[in-house]
Amino acid sequence: MTLEEHSGTWTYDPQAEAAYIYLRGTIAPGGVARTVTVDSPMVNFDLDESGRVIGIEILAAWPGE
């Protein structure tokens, strides 16, 4: 198995209680081809046109909030 390395960033919106992890850098408008919910309604994976996960949304309060 070959592992790929990508720099990632993340954001957290305390009002929405949502974190978003960008796995392949900034996502251009229209860059998400499909969203897959894996733990309704807590976790969503955003996929590009090739089916690769490019972002992960986590809907939950930040610890200590």
Side-chain angles (χ1 to χ4, degrees):
M1 174 195 314
T2 302
L3 298 177
E4 295 181 26
E5 288 190 36
H6 300 275
S7 60
T9 59
W10 61 277
T11 59
Y12 180 71
D13 180 344
Q15 286 185 315
E17 295 184 335
Y20 195 87
I21 303 164
Y22 296 86
L23 299 177
R24 297 179 176 266
T26 305
I27 300 170
V32 174
R34 186 169 73 125
T35 299
V36 177
T37 300
V38 293
D39 185 10
S40 181
M42 303 300 288
V43 179
N44 298 302
F45 288 171
D46 286 339
L47 287 70
D48 65 11
E49 290 181 356
S50 298
R52 295 177 296 207
V53 178
I54 55 174
I56 303 169
E57 179 184 47
I58 302 168
L59 304 170
W62 198 254
E65 291 281 315

